[in-house]
Amino acid sequence: MNFYWTSTTLLFSIVVLAVAGVCCFVSWRRSGYGTSMGLLECLRMLLIAIALITLNQPEMTQEIRPEERPTLVVLHDTSDSMQTRDVVAADGSAKKAATRVEATEPAVDPDTWAPVQKNMEVVFQPFSSKLTNAAKGTDLNQALQHAADSHVNLRGIVLLSDGDWNTGKAPNSAATDLRMRGVPVFAVGIGSEERLPDVELISSDAPTFGITGKLLRIPFRVVSWLPGDRNVTVSLTGTRGETVEKTVRVPGMGQLQDTIDWKPTKTGEYDLTLNIPVDDAEAIVDNNELSFPITIRNEALKVLVVESFPRWEYRYLRNALERDPGVEVNCLLYHPDVDSVGGGRGYLEEFPDAKQLFDYDVVFLGDVGVDADQLSLENCTHLRQLVRSHAGGLVFLPGFRGKHSSLLTTELEELYPVVPDQANPRGFGSPRPARFALTESGRRSLLTRLETNDDENENVWNSLPGFQWYAATSRAKIGTEVLAIHSNESTNFGRVPLIATRTAGTGKVLFMGTDGAWRWRKGVEDLYHYRFWGQVVRWMAYQRNMSQGESMRLFYSPDRPEAGNVLTLNANVMTSAGEPLREGTVVVQAVAPSGQTDSIRLAPASDDSWGLFTGTFVPKEGGTYQFITTCSETSSELETAISVKGLEKEQIGQPARIDVLKEVAEVTRGELTSIDKMQELVEQIAALPEPEPIIRRFRIWSHPLWGAAIILLLGIFWTGRKFAGLA
């Protein structure tokens, strides 16, 4: 037992005890040395003594030494990021760089820890994450916490990792708990904190399907961590034909974004591969290749062109679409100057009804409006439904007669991408040709890509023949992407928008603010005029043609879904009579690559979205999913294959995060070192002194039983005094 007294408390206790002894003796003598009174005075002295002992804080201590040997846990990271080849050799040569996991192998060899095993048990524990594919993530916090909870007499933890944690809680949570337990973490950083010399081919946002005989542009991005510019040859293989190659100039310590063109000749499922050659200066050689699936099919797009007068833009547009083998075009020419509509091959006598209209992928609205001899309000309602509910495309082509101003009083006003200048419905003409100017969005868009190279594309747009009429617009609406503007004319809101696009519901809308695109044929014939409108038609019809059957269509967003992100599923369902299904049970069975099946019930989008059913699904793994869409009311079924990108939390080639390991070591009062100083760390741990025994302290003065004893003695003393007085 120990007393935590001071000189003051000790002196005070002696004086009080002496005075109490004298007083008790005097009291006993006055009572005639009676036995009962003597016992009471002794009890009084006992109470005073107990109070004085309490004043000097008595404490009992117990020393406990663990019976088990101390344990040292060696945690080694086995996640995919440890496959990064950036641990340079002792001579500093990047060419002899080893992977991080290879550099870890000597540290997890039991012979390395032989000096430590004389005094401790050494336990090796690999770790990564709790994901389905564990190596696709790193959970440092869970690894540290598990090691702390699994071993009673834990002497320390050696953490071999690159510090790249991407799942679970922050590792400082477990580090704080280890600090409270007195367990240090010896962190060993593996990998370089800076990128080694490398050229990487970044993932390409390639389309999910293409059309036979049509040029397919596949975007890619090359990132370089080499000091000088390089000529890199990008190769496309898996085309069931000759390899497609393109040489690009990649800036040093920079990146280049470009496209490679391929014209498929046969339908079917393709696994395409983009790759670049390994540079002599590269240290990482396994990120120069990229593979992705794509479906090639025959094209059968249906396009409707509605116009009032056969102006030059209409004539050349119709010719361009008719000469396109993948497009079936119909025209409706109202021709107000004659009693009947225009006639001939592919001409319609009247505007299609709802059933017929929903079969079209794209509709061009020329200089037409709501009139007794042109469009009706019902026609406008059906056009809105085609775009919003059936993923159709709508192109507004205003003219100098200003008929589009009447469309703004119908449901089509919601779809119109720009705000027209109502004071000038007939637009503006000029004897001097004006030109288009691409915006930043226009420079990036595939719609305005007339040449594959950025500089060449810019030069083409700058050299295109000008236009002499344009529609008067105040500004673009919110949510509209402006691709091209007037090179000279402005409004209070900025330059006049000429080419603008927007998404409406499940479909797309495009506004062309001039009727002079046909002039692009000057000197090059059909090249740029046909290319532009062909790209517009296919861009608008892309979603509608993802997957379709006789009475059902399934399309989804985004085009390249990723595991862990929301995938929006949209289905258009038609009855046996060809009418849009208003109410029904539409179910999609999603079969994952692992065989797991999820059921998604699609709900009607809204009261005015005819035949559209929508729902969401979150894929949990990468690979090809099979989506089986069924409708009980129509007894129809549609099977669709969708490729999902895997959940790549772990990325090979990223710099090591040594700062994370440093924080863990500092919080736990451990140490941070590098893999090349492993032997020094082993010797340091082997030389650690025996852990201090556990001391348990029992403070008698603060224990509840101590107070109860005092109260009991006081009661006895009070009762005794009472009975002694009566006696």
Side-chain angles (χ1 to χ4, degrees), residues 209 297 301-302 357-362 386-387 389-393 506-508 539-548 553-555 572:
F209 73 89
R297 63 180 68 149
L301 301 179
K302 291 195 65 176
L357 181 64
F358 294 160
D359 287 337
Y360 287 98
D361 297 295
V362 182
L386 172 67
V387 176
S389 305
H390 293 264
T506 59
K508 297 180 176 70
W539 171 72
M540 288 191 154
Y542 182 79
Q543 280 195 315
R544 279 173 61 92
N545 289 275
M546 284 181 171
S547 179
Q548 59 182 344
R553 178 189 296 114
L554 179 70
F555 52 98
N572 288 141

XYZ file of all heavy atoms in Angstrom, residues 209 297 301-302 357-362 386-387 389-393 506-508 539-548 553-555 572:
285
model
N -21.970 1.181 -80.159
C -22.251 0.491 -81.420
C -21.909 1.401 -82.588
O -21.782 2.619 -82.456
C -23.712 0.032 -81.495
C -24.709 1.135 -81.723
C -25.057 1.518 -83.009
C -25.301 1.786 -80.657
C -25.967 2.537 -83.226
C -26.214 2.808 -80.860
C -26.549 3.186 -82.155
N -23.717 -2.948 -86.579
C -24.984 -3.418 -87.128
C -25.315 -2.649 -88.407
O -24.695 -1.625 -88.712
C -26.107 -3.226 -86.104
C -26.349 -1.777 -85.740
C -27.473 -1.607 -84.733
N -27.109 -2.155 -83.441
C -27.561 -1.670 -82.293
N -28.385 -0.635 -82.297
N -27.216 -2.208 -81.154
N -32.082 4.147 -90.436
C -32.630 5.327 -89.776
C -33.756 5.913 -90.613
O -33.661 5.995 -91.842
C -31.536 6.378 -89.581
C -30.316 5.961 -88.756
C -29.325 7.104 -88.683
C -30.733 5.520 -87.366
N -34.822 6.330 -89.938
C -35.958 6.953 -90.626
C -35.964 8.443 -90.298
O -35.963 8.832 -89.120
C -37.280 6.309 -90.202
C -37.457 4.874 -90.693
C -38.914 4.440 -90.570
C -39.815 5.238 -91.465
N -41.224 4.783 -91.448
N -45.615 8.678 -86.724
C -44.560 9.634 -86.377
C -43.522 9.010 -85.450
O -42.318 9.277 -85.588
C -45.179 10.868 -85.732
C -44.197 11.978 -85.337
C -43.519 12.559 -86.567
C -44.910 13.069 -84.543
N -43.963 8.164 -84.499
C -43.037 7.600 -83.534
C -42.086 6.582 -84.155
O -41.160 6.121 -83.499
C -43.805 6.964 -82.376
C -44.574 7.969 -81.542
C -45.627 7.567 -80.734
C -44.247 9.322 -81.578
C -46.341 8.493 -79.984
C -44.952 10.245 -80.829
C -46.004 9.833 -80.030
N -42.299 6.237 -85.436
C -41.360 5.359 -86.130
C -40.150 6.126 -86.661
O -39.138 5.522 -87.015
C -42.052 4.658 -87.307
C -43.019 3.573 -86.846
O -42.836 3.075 -85.723
O -43.946 3.242 -87.606
N -40.255 7.453 -86.730
C -39.153 8.256 -87.245
C -38.129 8.517 -86.137
O -38.470 8.768 -84.982
C -39.668 9.583 -87.804
C -40.408 9.438 -89.119
C -41.796 9.390 -89.151
C -39.716 9.339 -90.320
C -42.487 9.257 -90.353
C -40.394 9.196 -91.529
C -41.771 9.149 -91.543
O -42.440 8.998 -92.733
N -36.856 8.467 -86.534
C -35.776 8.740 -85.584
C -35.508 10.237 -85.461
O -35.245 10.735 -84.370
C -34.493 8.026 -86.034
C -34.651 6.518 -86.058
O -34.843 5.941 -84.987
O -34.590 5.922 -87.157
N -35.556 10.949 -86.589
C -35.247 12.382 -86.602
C -36.255 13.091 -87.500
O -36.612 12.584 -88.570
C -33.816 12.642 -87.117
C -33.498 14.137 -87.086
C -32.787 11.870 -86.302
N -42.479 12.647 -79.335
C -41.419 11.918 -80.024
C -40.063 12.200 -79.393
O -39.250 11.295 -79.201
C -41.401 12.310 -81.510
C -40.222 11.772 -82.336
C -40.311 10.260 -82.471
C -40.163 12.437 -83.700
N -39.833 13.452 -79.051
C -38.547 13.843 -78.475
C -38.458 13.447 -77.010
O -37.520 12.768 -76.588
C -38.322 15.363 -78.641
C -37.034 15.791 -77.948
C -38.279 15.725 -80.116
N -40.361 11.458 -74.987
C -40.682 10.115 -74.509
C -40.111 8.998 -75.367
O -39.981 7.871 -74.892
C -42.206 9.939 -74.420
O -42.797 10.945 -73.625
N -39.766 9.289 -76.625
C -39.329 8.229 -77.531
C -37.914 8.451 -78.056
O -37.529 7.852 -79.059
C -40.319 8.087 -78.690
C -41.660 7.586 -78.261
N -42.030 6.265 -78.331
C -42.726 8.234 -77.716
C -43.265 6.117 -77.869
N -43.712 7.302 -77.486
N -37.138 9.286 -77.357
C -35.722 9.496 -77.663
C -35.493 9.913 -79.108
O -34.466 9.599 -79.700
C -34.918 8.234 -77.344
N -36.457 10.618 -79.710
C -36.304 11.088 -81.075
C -35.507 12.374 -81.141
O -35.215 13.019 -80.135
N -35.137 12.751 -82.364
C -34.408 13.987 -82.592
C -35.254 14.970 -83.373
O -36.046 14.581 -84.241
N -35.888 12.363 -73.118
C -34.948 11.323 -73.542
C -34.370 11.610 -74.920
O -33.549 10.832 -75.416
C -35.654 9.961 -73.575
O -36.758 10.010 -74.488
C -36.168 9.584 -72.201
N -34.800 12.691 -75.573
C -34.362 12.979 -76.929
C -33.462 14.196 -77.010
O -33.062 14.787 -76.005
N -33.151 14.587 -78.255
C -32.231 15.694 -78.502
C -32.847 16.672 -79.499
O -33.655 16.292 -80.349
C -30.902 15.169 -79.039
C -30.144 14.256 -78.078
C -28.844 13.792 -78.700
C -28.023 12.964 -77.704
N -28.640 11.663 -77.450
N -26.199 11.244 -84.468
C -26.102 11.677 -83.067
C -27.477 11.698 -82.410
O -27.648 11.269 -81.272
C -25.465 13.061 -83.026
C -25.483 13.718 -81.684
C -24.738 13.392 -80.600
C -26.304 14.823 -81.284
N -25.030 14.221 -79.551
C -25.991 15.117 -79.942
C -27.260 15.588 -81.937
C -26.603 16.141 -79.243
C -27.866 16.618 -81.243
C -27.543 16.891 -79.905
N -28.469 12.173 -83.149
C -29.817 12.248 -82.589
C -30.470 10.882 -82.458
O -31.264 10.650 -81.545
C -30.687 13.150 -83.468
C -30.334 14.613 -83.360
S -31.550 15.661 -84.145
C -31.324 17.188 -83.231
N -30.150 9.965 -83.368
C -30.799 8.648 -83.359
C -30.025 7.629 -82.543
O -30.434 6.467 -82.473
C -30.961 8.146 -84.793
N -28.919 8.061 -81.920
C -28.035 7.100 -81.250
C -28.754 6.298 -80.169
O -28.721 5.073 -80.153
C -26.841 7.855 -80.655
C -25.840 6.957 -79.974
C -24.924 6.236 -80.713
C -25.815 6.831 -78.590
C -23.999 5.412 -80.099
C -24.902 6.016 -77.964
C -23.992 5.311 -78.722
O -23.080 4.485 -78.096
N -29.423 6.992 -79.267
C -30.054 6.285 -78.150
C -31.194 5.382 -78.616
O -31.356 4.275 -78.123
C -30.566 7.285 -77.114
C -29.482 7.811 -76.192
C -30.072 8.490 -74.980
O -31.005 9.277 -75.080
N -29.536 8.199 -73.820
N -31.984 5.856 -79.582
C -33.119 5.054 -80.058
C -32.659 3.721 -80.644
O -33.409 2.746 -80.651
C -33.901 5.830 -81.125
C -34.859 6.851 -80.581
C -35.453 7.678 -81.691
N -36.204 6.886 -82.649
C -37.516 6.643 -82.588
N -38.211 7.121 -81.579
N -38.129 5.947 -83.520
N -31.448 3.667 -81.127
C -30.974 2.471 -81.807
C -30.044 1.617 -80.962
O -29.365 0.741 -81.482
C -30.272 2.864 -83.109
C -31.248 3.369 -84.146
O -31.854 2.609 -84.874
N -31.416 4.691 -84.191
N -29.997 1.888 -79.650
C -29.175 1.046 -78.789
C -29.663 -0.398 -78.825
O -28.897 -1.332 -79.004
C -29.201 1.582 -77.354
C -28.337 2.808 -77.144
S -28.384 3.355 -75.426
C -27.099 4.608 -75.460
N -30.934 -0.599 -78.624
C -31.512 -1.944 -78.664
C -33.005 -1.810 -78.914
O -33.704 -1.108 -78.191
C -31.270 -2.680 -77.338
O -31.847 -3.956 -77.367
N -33.501 -2.486 -79.944
C -34.916 -2.379 -80.233
C -35.444 -3.652 -80.867
O -34.722 -4.387 -81.531
C -35.185 -1.188 -81.148
C -34.468 -1.224 -82.483
C -34.748 0.017 -83.303
O -35.679 0.753 -83.033
N -33.944 0.244 -84.324
N -38.366 -0.904 -77.239
C -37.027 -0.343 -77.405
C -36.458 -0.059 -76.025
O -37.145 0.492 -75.168
C -37.095 0.946 -78.230
C -35.752 1.644 -78.411
C -35.892 3.014 -79.045
N -36.413 2.920 -80.406
C -37.591 3.395 -80.757
N -38.382 3.951 -79.842
N -38.017 3.288 -81.996
N -35.186 -0.433 -75.808
C -34.519 -0.146 -74.538
C -33.303 0.726 -74.823
O -32.467 0.380 -75.656
C -34.079 -1.431 -73.836
C -33.345 -1.231 -72.497
C -34.316 -0.735 -71.433
C -32.675 -2.521 -72.038
N -33.227 1.868 -74.155
C -32.036 2.705 -74.257
C -31.662 3.169 -72.860
O -32.475 3.160 -71.932
C -32.249 3.881 -75.216
C -33.470 4.710 -74.940
C -33.371 5.885 -74.228
C -34.725 4.312 -75.404
C -34.485 6.666 -73.986
C -35.844 5.082 -75.167
C -35.732 6.267 -74.446
N -39.331 2.164 -74.400
C -40.530 2.541 -75.149
C -41.279 1.268 -75.496
O -40.713 0.350 -76.103
C -40.165 3.273 -76.439
C -39.647 4.679 -76.185
O -38.734 5.131 -76.837
N -40.229 5.382 -75.231
